Amino acid sequence: LEGLVPLSECTPGVSYTMRRIPDNTALLEYVEHIGLSLGQALIVKGFESFDHTAIIDMNGAEVRVSPKACVDIYLAADDAD
């Protein structure tokens, strides 16, 4: 997981690419349902102050990601190549 950061710890305003997710059926179904996939480019817009739900931008669409899922979705910053 070197160079990867969980979505829960990402910096708002930075562009990332989804690189890793655990092989957990419920999590994989959730991620597919919200439209995230490996290799997906996204921008972290911020986090809800109430429960730390992540707000991300995928191709211009604003998507909210559960804090429970955020800890298991690993991203690479696009400038980290």
Side-chain angles (χ1 to χ4, degrees):
L1 297 176
E2 188 173 333
L4 300 182
V5 62
L7 176 52
S8 58
E9 296 175 19
C10 287
T11 304
V14 175
S15 296
Y16 292 91
T17 301
M18 183 173 154
R19 292 292 182 210
R20 184 173 297 222
I21 186 168
D23 192 13
N24 171 306
T25 302
L27 178 61
L28 292 170
E29 288 174 355
Y30 173 78
V31 166
E32 182 179 351
H33 174 74
I34 63 172
L36 257 177
S37 58
L38 288 175
Q40 173 76 49
L42 58 95
I43 298 170
V44 177
K45 295 179 78 174
F47 297 92
E48 295 280 0
S49 58
F50 174 67
D51 66 355
H52 212 64
T53 292
I55 304 163
I56 63 173
D57 180 302
M58 292 190 311
N59 302 322
E62 187 174 283
V63 177
R64 284 173 158 64
V65 183
S66 158
K68 186 175 178 182
C70 286
V71 298
D72 286 325
I73 296 172
Y74 289 90
L75 310 175
D78 287 346
D79 59 3
D81 292 334

